[in-house]
Amino acid sequence: MDFLHQLLLFLHLLGMGLLVGTFLLQLRGGADAPLNKGWLHGSGVMLITGAAMMALDPFSDNDLNHTKLGIKILVLIAIGGLALAFLRKPAVPRWVGFALGGLVVINVGLAVFWT
């Protein structure tokens, strides 16, 4: 069971890395660049692996902070929803990339600093 948890955590961190990389690509694209699909893929990977790690909780000795996890899920849903809303548009306002990047930073900050 420990290997499965570590594998899910590894994939979860890869999803976070995908979101950070997508943010950097979005910045490089300049003003009015189309939105990258990496926003949806990264948030989906993080959401699925995070939910799977939560589902494994009854089989471990860990005590989860359900408030923290609920807020993290809401932030991921906001990232996915904002990305989905602007994905089909040929040109996206510059604030969308910064908003998505800010939500990623908030999500990582919640994971690291809220113990």
Side-chain angles (χ1 to χ4, degrees), residues 6-55:
Q6 294 298 323
L7 178 65
L8 289 171
L9 181 62
F10 174 74
L11 293 173
H12 193 71
L13 292 174
L14 283 179
M16 188 233 0
L18 179 60
L19 287 175
V20 171
T22 303
F23 173 65
L24 294 175
L25 280 174
Q26 197 71 40
L27 286 179
R28 185 175 165 199
D32 298 330
L35 202 63
N36 194 315
K37 290 183 182 178
W39 291 111
L40 282 180
H41 297 303
S43 62
V45 166
M46 286 190 70
L47 190 62
I48 290 169
T49 56
M53 285 190 290
M54 284 176 56

Side-chain angles (χ1 to χ4, degrees), residues 23-98:
F23 173 65
L24 294 175
L25 280 174
Q26 197 71 40
L27 286 179
R28 185 175 165 199
D32 298 330
L35 202 63
N36 194 315
K37 290 183 182 178
W39 291 111
L40 282 180
H41 297 303
S43 62
V45 166
M46 286 190 70
L47 190 62
I48 290 169
T49 56
M53 285 190 290
M54 284 176 56
L56 289 177
D57 179 56
F59 305 109
S60 68
D61 297 334
N62 299 334
D63 288 330
L64 295 181
N65 185 343
H66 296 286
T67 306
K68 171 186 168 180
L69 294 175
I71 292 171
K72 283 180 60 61
I73 288 172
L74 287 176
V75 171
L76 277 174
I77 290 172
I79 292 171
L82 192 59
L84 194 59
F86 285 96
L87 190 63
R88 300 268 184 218
K89 304 203 186 238
V92 177
R94 191 149 173 89
W95 66 266
V96 174
F98 287 112

